[in-house]
Amino acid sequence: MPTNRQILLDNRPEGEAVASNFKLVTTDTPALKDGEVLVRHHYLSLDPYMRGRMNESKSYAVPQPLGEVMIGGTVGEVVDSQHPKFKAGDQVVGMGGWQEYSVVDGNAPGMLRKVDTTHVPLSYYLGAVGMPGVTAWYGLTQIIEPKEGETVVVSAATGAVGSAYAALAKARGCRVVGIAGGPEKCKYAVDELGFDACIDYRQYPDVKTMAKALKDACPNGIDGYFENVGGYILDAVLLRTNAFARVAVCGMIAGYDGAPLPLQNPALILVNRLKVQGFIVSEHMELWPQALQELGTLVAQGKLKPRETIAQGIESAPEAFLGLLKGKNFGKQLVKLI
C-alpha cells in the first residue's frame, strides 16, 4: 500500500486563519478490508465552508476535529478495490479530504460515486457539476424560484457557485447581475459567464455607494438574491429589493473570522415582505441527480464554462485556501495532487 501525505487541522484559528493552523504529515495507507476501496486523488476541492468548520463555535456542521485530516471534496481514480461495485480505473468523486489517497467504505451511502468524464472533465465534478453547482441550483430553483424577466443578483459572482448561478438563471430568462472583486473578474463575468452586469465591490466600499451601483445595474429593482458574503453588501442589496423578493442565504464569508455581522435595516424584511431562507445543500441529496443532470447538460452545450485556479501539490493547500478566503482565486479553487 502507498504512503500517503495528509494535511491535518493542528490548532484552531484565533481570528483570521493562518498557515500554521495546519500540519503536513506522512502516513502508511492501511490494507484494504472487505468492501473497501483505495482511491488516488487527482484533485482536492477548496471551499469557503471549510473556514467555518475550523471554528469550535456552534454551526450547521460539527467542527473539524483537531489532529484529523481536513474535510474536503476529492475526485480521483480507484487503484484497488475489495468492493464489487468499484474496480481499478473507475473515475470517482467523494469526500476524501486533504490527502493524496483515501480508503473508503464502498457500502457507505453517498461516500463515493462513479462519474463519466466523456463530456465533463474530472475536475468539474468538484465545481460546476458538483457541490458548488448544486448549491447554485438549489438556491435559485428552490428558494428564489425566478420568473422570466426578473432580476437576480449573486455575490462572489465569478466563483464556482456564482458562475453556475449565472448559467442557470440565464437559462430561465432572467436578468443576472453579479458582484465580484476587481475589474478583471467583472469583465470575465460579463464577457464569458454571461452576466448582464457585474459590480466591482472594491469600487463601492460602503452601503451607500454599493446601493447606488446596484440601482444603476438593476433599474427595475432586485427580485432574487443569492448570498455568499454578508456584511455591507447584504445591507445594500436589501435596500434595492422589490416587494416579495427572495433571498437565498448560502454563506457569510465576511464573518467567518468570528465577528458577528449585524444587519443595518432588518425592517426591510417586513416592508418588502421578503423571504429570507438559509440552506445547506447536503440536506437535500434527493434533488442532486436533477441538479447534476441540468448542470452537466449546460457544460456539454458550452453554456457553462467555469474557470479554475489550480495549486500544485498537497503541500500548497493551506496557502491556496487562505488565498481563497481573501478572493485571490479566479473561479473554482482546486489543488492538483498528481
Side-chain angles (χ1 to χ4, degrees), residues 261-295:
L261 293 175
L263 196 60
Q264 282 196 7
N265 197 350
L268 288 168
I269 298 171
L270 172 61
V271 171
N272 287 340
R273 285 86 82 207
L274 304 180
K275 178 172 87 169
V276 181
Q277 183 175 335
F279 73 98
I280 308 301
V281 74
S282 59
E283 294 176 349
H284 306 282
M285 298 304 294
E286 74 284 356
L287 293 173
W288 279 51
Q290 182 184 348
L292 291 169
Q293 182 175 2
E294 181 176 356
L295 292 158

Side-chain angles (χ1 to χ4, degrees), residues 133-147 165 168 172 225-226 246-249 275-281 283-288 290-291 294:
V134 178
T135 299
W137 184 93
Y138 186 90
L140 182 72
T141 68
Q142 305 300 300
I143 296 174
I144 296 172
E145 298 182 286
K147 301 177 186 66
Y165 180 90
L168 292 163
R172 286 158 175 79
Y225 177 52
F226 191 105
R246 293 80 64 197
V247 180
V249 183
K275 178 172 87 169
V276 181
Q277 183 175 335
F279 73 98
I280 308 301
V281 74
E283 294 176 349
H284 306 282
M285 298 304 294
E286 74 284 356
L287 293 173
W288 279 51
Q290 182 184 348
E294 181 176 356

Side-chain angles (χ1 to χ4, degrees), residues 113-151:
R113 179 170 59 89
K114 284 191 269 193
V115 293
D116 182 359
T117 56
T118 309
H119 301 293
V120 178
L122 182 62
S123 61
Y124 282 23
Y125 286 102
L126 292 175
V129 194
M131 181 271 292
V134 178
T135 299
W137 184 93
Y138 186 90
L140 182 72
T141 68
Q142 305 300 300
I143 296 174
I144 296 172
E145 298 182 286
K147 301 177 186 66
E148 187 173 353
E150 287 192 325
T151 296

Side-chain angles (χ1 to χ4, degrees), residues 190-272:
V190 173
D191 293 351
E192 296 187 46
L193 293 178
F195 281 88
D196 293 286
C198 188
I199 298 168
D200 178 2
Y201 68 80
R202 293 176 185 168
Q203 301 294 317
Y204 308 99
D206 53 48
V207 174
K208 186 175 180 181
T209 56
M210 176 57 74
K212 172 66 168 63
L214 284 162
K215 184 177 182 180
D216 293 341
C218 309
N220 297 322
I222 295 169
D223 301 297
Y225 177 52
F226 191 105
E227 178 61 286
N228 288 312
V229 175
Y232 83 92
I233 291 176
L234 175 58
D235 287 317
V237 168
L238 293 184
L239 286 168
R240 300 303 312 148
T241 49
N242 291 326
F244 305 105
R246 293 80 64 197
V247 180
V249 183
C250 169
M252 291 276 180
I253 197 170
Y256 279 177
D257 288 339
L261 293 175
L263 196 60
Q264 282 196 7
N265 197 350
L268 288 168
I269 298 171
L270 172 61
V271 171
N272 287 340

